[in-house]
PDB file of all heavy atoms in Angstrom:
ATOM      1  N   SER H 258      10.992  33.814 -12.751  1.00  0.00           N
ATOM      2  CA  SER H 258      11.860  32.607 -12.703  1.00  0.00           C
ATOM      3  C   SER H 258      12.857  32.530 -11.514  1.00  0.00           C
ATOM      4  O   SER H 258      13.019  31.433 -10.941  1.00  0.00           O
ATOM      5  CB  SER H 258      12.581  32.564 -14.062  1.00  0.00           C
ATOM      6  OG  SER H 258      11.682  32.468 -15.097  1.00  0.00           O
ATOM      7  N   CYS H 259      13.317  33.639 -11.156  1.00  0.00           N
ATOM      8  CA  CYS H 259      14.010  33.786  -9.886  1.00  0.00           C
ATOM      9  C   CYS H 259      15.030  32.705  -9.556  1.00  0.00           C
ATOM     10  O   CYS H 259      14.894  31.868  -8.798  1.00  0.00           O
ATOM     11  CB  CYS H 259      13.030  33.849  -8.715  1.00  0.00           C
ATOM     12  SG  CYS H 259      13.612  34.634  -7.201  1.00  0.00           S
ATOM     13  N   ASP H 260      16.144  32.863 -10.234  1.00  0.00           N
ATOM     14  CA  ASP H 260      17.215  31.864 -10.138  1.00  0.00           C
ATOM     15  C   ASP H 260      18.561  32.428 -10.078  1.00  0.00           C
ATOM     16  O   ASP H 260      19.441  32.204 -10.813  1.00  0.00           O
ATOM     17  CB  ASP H 260      17.170  30.869 -11.376  1.00  0.00           C
ATOM     18  CG  ASP H 260      17.551  29.451 -10.972  1.00  0.00           C
ATOM     19  OD1 ASP H 260      17.922  29.244  -9.864  1.00  0.00           O
ATOM     20  OD2 ASP H 260      17.462  28.552 -11.896  1.00  0.00           O
ATOM     21  N   PRO H 261      18.804  33.330  -9.050  1.00  0.00           N
ATOM     22  CA  PRO H 261      20.054  34.064  -8.934  1.00  0.00           C
ATOM     23  C   PRO H 261      21.287  33.284  -8.796  1.00  0.00           C
ATOM     24  O   PRO H 261      22.416  33.707  -9.184  1.00  0.00           O
ATOM     25  CB  PRO H 261      19.825  35.042  -7.723  1.00  0.00           C
ATOM     26  CG  PRO H 261      18.852  34.293  -6.904  1.00  0.00           C
ATOM     27  CD  PRO H 261      17.880  33.620  -7.862  1.00  0.00           C
ATOM     28  N   GLY H 262      21.180  32.018  -8.294  1.00  0.00           N
ATOM     29  CA  GLY H 262      22.324  31.139  -8.015  1.00  0.00           C
ATOM     30  C   GLY H 262      22.797  30.373  -9.276  1.00  0.00           C
ATOM     31  O   GLY H 262      23.786  29.701  -9.230  1.00  0.00           O
ATOM     32  N   SER H 263      22.003  30.374 -10.289  1.00  0.00           N
ATOM     33  CA  SER H 263      22.227  29.640 -11.450  1.00  0.00           C
ATOM     34  C   SER H 263      23.132  30.263 -12.388  1.00  0.00           C
ATOM     35  O   SER H 263      23.047  31.431 -12.646  1.00  0.00           O
ATOM     36  CB  SER H 263      20.888  29.145 -12.164  1.00  0.00           C
ATOM     37  OG  SER H 263      21.140  28.567 -13.374  1.00  0.00           O
ATOM     38  N   PRO H 264      24.130  29.441 -13.031  1.00  0.00           N
ATOM     39  CA  PRO H 264      24.944  30.170 -14.052  1.00  0.00           C
ATOM     40  C   PRO H 264      24.157  30.550 -15.259  1.00  0.00           C
ATOM     41  O   PRO H 264      24.646  31.169 -16.209  1.00  0.00           O
ATOM     42  CB  PRO H 264      25.925  28.965 -14.404  1.00  0.00           C
ATOM     43  CG  PRO H 264      25.264  27.752 -13.929  1.00  0.00           C
ATOM     44  CD  PRO H 264      24.406  28.160 -12.768  1.00  0.00           C
ATOM     45  N   TRP H 265      22.876  30.053 -15.442  1.00  0.00           N
ATOM     46  CA  TRP H 265      22.055  30.370 -16.599  1.00  0.00           C
ATOM     47  C   TRP H 265      21.061  31.433 -16.283  1.00  0.00           C
ATOM     48  O   TRP H 265      20.015  31.647 -16.997  1.00  0.00           O
ATOM     49  CB  TRP H 265      21.361  29.103 -17.044  1.00  0.00           C
ATOM     50  CG  TRP H 265      22.336  27.962 -17.256  1.00  0.00           C
ATOM     51  CD1 TRP H 265      23.502  28.082 -17.949  1.00  0.00           C
ATOM     52  CD2 TRP H 265      22.157  26.617 -16.865  1.00  0.00           C
ATOM     53  NE1 TRP H 265      24.126  26.752 -17.923  1.00  0.00           N
ATOM     54  CE2 TRP H 265      23.250  25.866 -17.340  1.00  0.00           C
ATOM     55  CE3 TRP H 265      21.115  25.978 -16.166  1.00  0.00           C
ATOM     56  CZ2 TRP H 265      23.469  24.527 -17.047  1.00  0.00           C
ATOM     57  CZ3 TRP H 265      21.261  24.556 -15.952  1.00  0.00           C
ATOM     58  CH2 TRP H 265      22.373  23.949 -16.359  1.00  0.00           C
ATOM     59  N   ASN H 266      21.242  32.239 -15.176  1.00  0.00           N
ATOM     60  CA  ASN H 266      20.266  33.244 -14.821  1.00  0.00           C
ATOM     61  C   ASN H 266      20.096  34.231 -15.929  1.00  0.00           C
ATOM     62  O   ASN H 266      21.065  34.849 -16.343  1.00  0.00           O
ATOM     63  CB  ASN H 266      20.837  33.934 -13.592  1.00  0.00           C
ATOM     64  CG  ASN H 266      19.910  34.949 -12.971  1.00  0.00           C
ATOM     65  OD1 ASN H 266      18.742  35.060 -13.497  1.00  0.00           O
ATOM     66  ND2 ASN H 266      20.299  35.845 -12.064  1.00  0.00           N
ATOM     67  N   ALA H 267      18.906  34.431 -16.329  1.00  0.00           N
ATOM     68  CA  ALA H 267      18.567  35.303 -17.481  1.00  0.00           C
ATOM     69  C   ALA H 267      18.580  36.861 -17.027  1.00  0.00           C
ATOM     70  O   ALA H 267      18.635  37.687 -17.842  1.00  0.00           O
ATOM     71  CB  ALA H 267      17.235  35.015 -18.117  1.00  0.00           C
ATOM     72  N   LEU H 268      18.486  37.066 -15.677  1.00  0.00           N
ATOM     73  CA  LEU H 268      18.539  38.474 -15.220  1.00  0.00           C
ATOM     74  C   LEU H 268      19.522  38.528 -14.036  1.00  0.00           C
ATOM     75  O   LEU H 268      19.195  38.636 -12.919  1.00  0.00           O
ATOM     76  CB  LEU H 268      17.110  38.792 -14.728  1.00  0.00           C
ATOM     77  CG  LEU H 268      16.002  39.014 -15.710  1.00  0.00           C
ATOM     78  CD1 LEU H 268      14.749  39.341 -14.963  1.00  0.00           C
ATOM     79  CD2 LEU H 268      16.397  40.095 -16.688  1.00  0.00           C
ATOM     80  N   PRO H 269      20.843  38.567 -14.437  1.00  0.00           N
ATOM     81  CA  PRO H 269      21.864  38.717 -13.405  1.00  0.00           C
ATOM     82  C   PRO H 269      22.019  40.182 -12.859  1.00  0.00           C
ATOM     83  O   PRO H 269      22.985  40.772 -12.859  1.00  0.00           O
ATOM     84  CB  PRO H 269      23.178  38.267 -14.118  1.00  0.00           C
ATOM     85  CG  PRO H 269      22.836  38.651 -15.564  1.00  0.00           C
ATOM     86  CD  PRO H 269      21.391  38.534 -15.752  1.00  0.00           C
ATOM     87  N   LEU H 270      20.883  40.606 -12.252  1.00  0.00           N
ATOM     88  CA  LEU H 270      20.801  41.944 -11.693  1.00  0.00           C
ATOM     89  C   LEU H 270      20.944  41.964 -10.121  1.00  0.00           C
ATOM     90  O   LEU H 270      21.177  43.111  -9.650  1.00  0.00           O
ATOM     91  CB  LEU H 270      19.410  42.568 -12.012  1.00  0.00           C
ATOM     92  CG  LEU H 270      19.009  42.537 -13.537  1.00  0.00           C
ATOM     93  CD1 LEU H 270      17.567  43.057 -13.679  1.00  0.00           C
ATOM     94  CD2 LEU H 270      20.007  43.381 -14.427  1.00  0.00           C
ATOM     95  N   TYR H 271      20.850  40.814  -9.586  1.00  0.00           N
ATOM     96  CA  TYR H 271      20.801  40.777  -8.108  1.00  0.00           C
ATOM     97  C   TYR H 271      21.422  39.493  -7.621  1.00  0.00           C
ATOM     98  O   TYR H 271      21.592  38.512  -8.417  1.00  0.00           O
ATOM     99  CB  TYR H 271      19.368  40.926  -7.589  1.00  0.00           C
ATOM    100  CG  TYR H 271      18.469  39.720  -8.097  1.00  0.00           C
ATOM    101  CD1 TYR H 271      18.237  38.605  -7.349  1.00  0.00           C
ATOM    102  CD2 TYR H 271      17.941  39.778  -9.407  1.00  0.00           C
ATOM    103  CE1 TYR H 271      17.462  37.588  -7.916  1.00  0.00           C
ATOM    104  CE2 TYR H 271      17.170  38.805  -9.955  1.00  0.00           C
ATOM    105  CZ  TYR H 271      16.882  37.672  -9.212  1.00  0.00           C
ATOM    106  OH  TYR H 271      16.185  36.647  -9.682  1.00  0.00           O
ATOM    107  N   ASP H 272      21.887  39.497  -6.368  1.00  0.00           N
ATOM    108  CA  ASP H 272      22.653  38.298  -5.840  1.00  0.00           C
ATOM    109  C   ASP H 272      21.821  37.412  -4.894  1.00  0.00           C
ATOM    110  O   ASP H 272      22.237  36.271  -4.713  1.00  0.00           O
ATOM    111  CB  ASP H 272      23.866  38.824  -5.059  1.00  0.00           C
ATOM    112  CG  ASP H 272      24.822  39.687  -5.968  1.00  0.00           C
ATOM    113  OD1 ASP H 272      25.001  39.389  -7.079  1.00  0.00           O
ATOM    114  OD2 ASP H 272      25.245  40.707  -5.486  1.00  0.00           O
ATOM    115  N   ALA H 273      20.705  37.936  -4.418  1.00  0.00           N
ATOM    116  CA  ALA H 273      19.833  37.105  -3.509  1.00  0.00           C
ATOM    117  C   ALA H 273      18.470  37.400  -3.767  1.00  0.00           C
ATOM    118  O   ALA H 273      18.095  38.597  -4.145  1.00  0.00           O
ATOM    119  CB  ALA H 273      20.268  37.416  -2.073  1.00  0.00           C
ATOM    120  N   VAL H 274      17.609  36.480  -3.456  1.00  0.00           N
ATOM    121  CA  VAL H 274      16.206  36.708  -3.691  1.00  0.00           C
ATOM    122  C   VAL H 274      15.642  37.777  -2.751  1.00  0.00           C
ATOM    123  O   VAL H 274      16.283  38.026  -1.703  1.00  0.00           O
ATOM    124  CB  VAL H 274      15.309  35.429  -3.427  1.00  0.00           C
ATOM    125  CG1 VAL H 274      15.743  34.376  -4.481  1.00  0.00           C
ATOM    126  CG2 VAL H 274      15.503  34.924  -2.010  1.00  0.00           C
ATOM    127  N   THR H 275      14.516  38.386  -3.074  1.00  0.00           N
ATOM    128  CA  THR H 275      13.841  39.347  -2.175  1.00  0.00           C
ATOM    129  C   THR H 275      12.762  38.567  -1.354  1.00  0.00           C
ATOM    130  O   THR H 275      12.510  37.410  -1.638  1.00  0.00           O
ATOM    131  CB  THR H 275      13.245  40.441  -3.025  1.00  0.00           C
ATOM    132  OG1 THR H 275      12.245  40.000  -3.935  1.00  0.00           O
ATOM    133  CG2 THR H 275      14.305  41.305  -3.777  1.00  0.00           C
ATOM    134  N   THR H 276      12.209  39.244  -0.434  1.00  0.00           N
ATOM    135  CA  THR H 276      11.336  38.568   0.506  1.00  0.00           C
ATOM    136  C   THR H 276       9.914  39.276   0.642  1.00  0.00           C
ATOM    137  O   THR H 276       9.755  40.397   0.097  1.00  0.00           O
ATOM    138  CB  THR H 276      11.887  38.449   1.834  1.00  0.00           C
ATOM    139  OG1 THR H 276      12.033  39.799   2.441  1.00  0.00           O
ATOM    140  CG2 THR H 276      13.287  37.902   1.866  1.00  0.00           C
ATOM    141  N   TRP H 277       8.995  38.617   1.316  1.00  0.00           N
ATOM    142  CA  TRP H 277       7.649  39.344   1.390  1.00  0.00           C
ATOM    143  C   TRP H 277       7.760  40.420   2.388  1.00  0.00           C
ATOM    144  O   TRP H 277       7.004  41.375   2.354  1.00  0.00           O
ATOM    145  CB  TRP H 277       6.699  38.215   2.071  1.00  0.00           C
ATOM    146  CG  TRP H 277       6.443  37.144   1.072  1.00  0.00           C
ATOM    147  CD1 TRP H 277       6.945  35.861   1.208  1.00  0.00           C
ATOM    148  CD2 TRP H 277       5.714  37.186  -0.149  1.00  0.00           C
ATOM    149  NE1 TRP H 277       6.488  35.070   0.132  1.00  0.00           N
ATOM    150  CE2 TRP H 277       5.764  35.918  -0.676  1.00  0.00           C
ATOM    151  CE3 TRP H 277       5.040  38.120  -0.786  1.00  0.00           C
ATOM    152  CZ2 TRP H 277       5.173  35.582  -1.949  1.00  0.00           C
ATOM    153  CZ3 TRP H 277       4.386  37.890  -2.063  1.00  0.00           C
ATOM    154  CH2 TRP H 277       4.503  36.679  -2.611  1.00  0.00           C
ATOM    155  N   ASP H 278       8.755  40.539   3.320  1.00  0.00           N
ATOM    156  CA  ASP H 278       8.984  41.534   4.113  1.00  0.00           C
ATOM    157  C   ASP H 278       9.745  42.753   3.421  1.00  0.00           C
ATOM    158  O   ASP H 278       9.613  43.911   3.774  1.00  0.00           O
ATOM    159  CB  ASP H 278       9.773  41.211   5.388  1.00  0.00           C
ATOM    160  CG  ASP H 278       9.014  40.287   6.296  1.00  0.00           C
ATOM    161  OD1 ASP H 278       7.680  40.491   6.339  1.00  0.00           O
ATOM    162  OD2 ASP H 278       9.533  39.432   6.935  1.00  0.00           O
TER     163      ASP H 278
END
Side-chain angles (χ1 to χ4, degrees):
S258 300
C259 198
D260 213 355
S263 169
W265 308 314
N266 182 15
L268 290 178
L270 307 173
Y271 59 98
D272 300 319
V274 298
T275 60
T276 68
W277 297 107
D278 290 328

